[in-house]
Amino acid sequence: MRIKTLLAIALVALTAGCVATNRHELLNTSIFPASTAEIAAQHEIFVATTRRASTSQPRIVYGGERSPTIAYAQVEITVPKIHETGRIERAKGRAPADPAKNFTAQRVNFYKSASQFEKAVNASVVDHEGERILVFIHGFNNGFDDGIYRVTQIVHDTGYVGTPVLFSWASAAKTTGYLYDKESANAARDDLEALLKMLATTKAKSIDIIAHSMGNWVTMEALRQLAISGDRTLGGKLGIVVLASPDIDVDVFKKQMQRYGKPEHPFVVLLSDDDRALQLSSFLSGDKPRVGDYSDAADLAALGVTVVDLTQATSGGRLNHAKFADNPFLVKLLGRELRNDGLAAAATDDFGGLGGGTLGKDIGQAVGSVADIIITTPFRVLSIAVGN
């Protein structure tokens, strides 16, 4: 029965990976006109990537092959006025992206050196109120375009006030590339560590991190290496760390956390028992449980993390693998917490949001959604029902 279930999951995953958007072209062949009244916002996404530039297909910008050196860029993305929270409105098939209907890349600016990139990021940090940086690390089966669109959606839907930076490692962007992606993630950990150290030299007061799926492996390895080097908090600038649907072996994660040590502010682990992508990953890894669909939340909480069980929350995708970003309620909750530093304080007695129940009530009234979220900390277990 288990084999049949996993084969069904694999079929869903393959089907999801075979849609037309896997051409991964970020840029249109020409500028598509749209009036300012049809555009909700324009976002500037800074990029550090271990991908090789796609010279044969320049509209892809960066492909799935690994580069021996890290490259830097900035992408300007517009979000249409018709955008719905939790969605990424993409052009279908071979149709060009229409700014009035789709997320659209307007231009890509390339930096010739790390110092040039650092200077541009620093200028953006100073321009933003709060002087914060959000680093997003994508997961398995993601093209360069997928990462750009996802971090844009997260920044837009959460209302994040700060400078967004995408760390785009060399995923092959195909469902059959799991092992290749795993090795690419391994190869990228030093580069992510170097990026975080660079960002810590800017005038940013806080560097927040959101990692998804296999991107959590790159993230945890980089954080582990920072701890070994004696700078695990980036000079006190490490802010909120959100580990969404971590595709990491539970035993390996425990070792990583033990080497890092208990964080000053608990890392936030978002997991879900119905994550079909991680069920397949577990099967491919010899039935070893992954952190993102692990049932023993208290076991993880003992490591100094805050565990948020999203099993009862609905997802915008068939694999239930990106609830944190595609569920309108959850993405707004994430935004509220990022703005208030609430997630980082979730394990403290003075946490006045989820702990007191007022935040959940407020967001439930604002969003008009119903969700059950179980939060496990080293000190208590909270079950929150949110709705009108």
Side-chain angles (χ1 to χ4, degrees):
M1 185 60 137
R2 175 171 169 75
I3 296 296
K4 290 182 178 179
T5 301
L6 288 167
L7 286 174
I9 292 171
L11 181 60
V12 171
L14 287 169
T15 303
C18 292
V19 294
T21 54
N22 67 4
R23 289 166 56 242
H24 296 295
E25 293 181 351
L26 179 68
L27 299 173
N28 281 340
T29 54
S30 59
I31 299 297
F32 201 112
S35 69
T36 54
E38 296 173 307
I39 305 299
Q42 176 171 300
H43 297 277
E44 296 179 348
I45 309 299
F46 289 92
V47 178
T49 181
T50 59
R51 297 174 182 269
R52 190 183 296 274
S54 180
T55 54
S56 62
Q57 295 178 283
R59 292 202 300 275
I60 291 177
V61 187
Y62 291 103
E65 293 186 3
R66 302 168 191 147
S67 170
T69 58
I70 193 166
Y72 304 95
Q74 179 206 63
V75 183
E76 297 177 11
I77 300 281
T78 56
V79 177
K81 186 80 75 174
I82 64 166
H83 169 67
E84 298 177 9
T85 300
R87 292 192 60 194
I88 299 176
E89 290 84 0
R90 297 193 58 163
K92 296 180 179 180
R94 296 187 175 275
D98 180 352
K101 299 177 181 178
N102 313 121
F103 280 57
T104 305
Q106 298 297 332
R107 63 181 56 84
V108 180
N109 302 307
F110 300 97
Y111 298 103
K112 296 180 179 180
S113 65
S115 60
Q116 193 179 62
F117 175 78
E118 180 184 347
K119 183 178 179 180
V121 171
N122 194 52
S124 174
V125 167
V126 173
D127 285 343
H128 282 88
E129 182 182 353
E131 298 179 334
R132 301 175 71 178
I133 293 175
L134 174 64
V135 181
F136 177 68
I137 304 97
H138 65 75
F140 159 67
N141 190 21
N142 269 227
F144 180 69
D145 56 329
D146 296 319
I148 288 289
Y149 289 136
R150 178 61 79 188
V151 69
T152 301
Q153 179 253 320
I154 290 172
V155 168
H156 187 82
D157 287 349
T158 61
Y160 186 83
V161 179
T163 298
V165 177
L166 168 67
F167 181 73
S168 184
W169 51 277
S171 165
K174 53 186 179 182
T175 52
T176 56
Y178 188 82
L179 293 180
Y180 175 86
D181 277 17
K182 209 164 188 179
E183 297 307 321
S184 290
N186 279 331
R189 51 193 171 183
D190 289 349
D191 297 297
L192 178 56
E193 179 189 11
L195 172 65
L196 294 174
K197 286 182 176 179
M198 174 204 290
L199 296 178
T201 66
T202 69
K203 294 184 179 180
K205 296 177 181 177
S206 177
I207 299 172
D208 304 317
I209 296 174
I210 297 179
H212 181 228
S213 189
M214 195 178 286
N216 284 276
W217 167 260
V218 189
T219 301
M220 284 303 305
E221 282 294 284
L223 292 173
R224 176 180 175 275
Q225 291 174 187
L226 284 170
I228 293 172
S229 72
D231 186 25
R232 70 179 198 147
T233 66
L234 296 172
K237 291 188 175 184
L238 184 62
I240 295 171
V241 176
V242 178
L243 309 175
S245 308
D247 188 0
I248 306 176
D249 181 291
V250 169
D251 293 333
V252 173
F253 179 71
K254 289 178 180 179
K255 287 291 187 180
Q256 289 170 325
M257 287 300 303
Q258 288 167 5
R259 189 64 184 86
Y260 182 86
K262 287 193 176 182
E264 293 182 14
H265 300 296
F267 295 168
V268 181
V269 177
L270 306 181
L271 54 77
S272 183
D273 282 347
D274 61 353
D275 190 323
R276 293 173 178 170
L278 292 185
Q279 289 170 10
L280 180 59
S281 175
S282 175
F283 174 71
L284 293 173
S285 303
D287 279 341
K288 295 295 184 182
R290 317 311 282 172
V291 175
D293 67 346
Y294 190 48
S295 59
D296 191 351
D299 187 28
L300 295 178
L303 300 171
V305 300
T306 296
V307 181
V308 183
D309 186 345
L310 305 179
T311 303
Q312 299 303 316
T314 59
S315 175
R318 288 176 292 177
L319 297 179
N320 301 320
H321 191 50
K323 292 182 180 182
F324 77 104
D326 64 27
N327 179 297
F329 165 80
L330 295 176
V331 76
K332 285 185 178 292
L333 175 61
L334 177 62
R336 178 88 174 244
E337 299 302 86
L338 284 170
R339 289 192 297 274
N340 296 337
D341 283 353
L343 287 171
T348 66
D349 290 333
D350 61 355
F351 180 55
L354 290 171
T358 57
L359 175 59
K361 181 179 179 181
D362 290 345
I363 292 183
Q365 291 173 343
V367 181
S369 301
V370 176
D372 291 322
I373 302 176
I374 299 172
I375 298 182
T376 306
T377 77
F379 310 110
R380 59 177 181 260
V381 178
L382 303 175
S383 180
I384 302 168
V386 181
N388 288 333

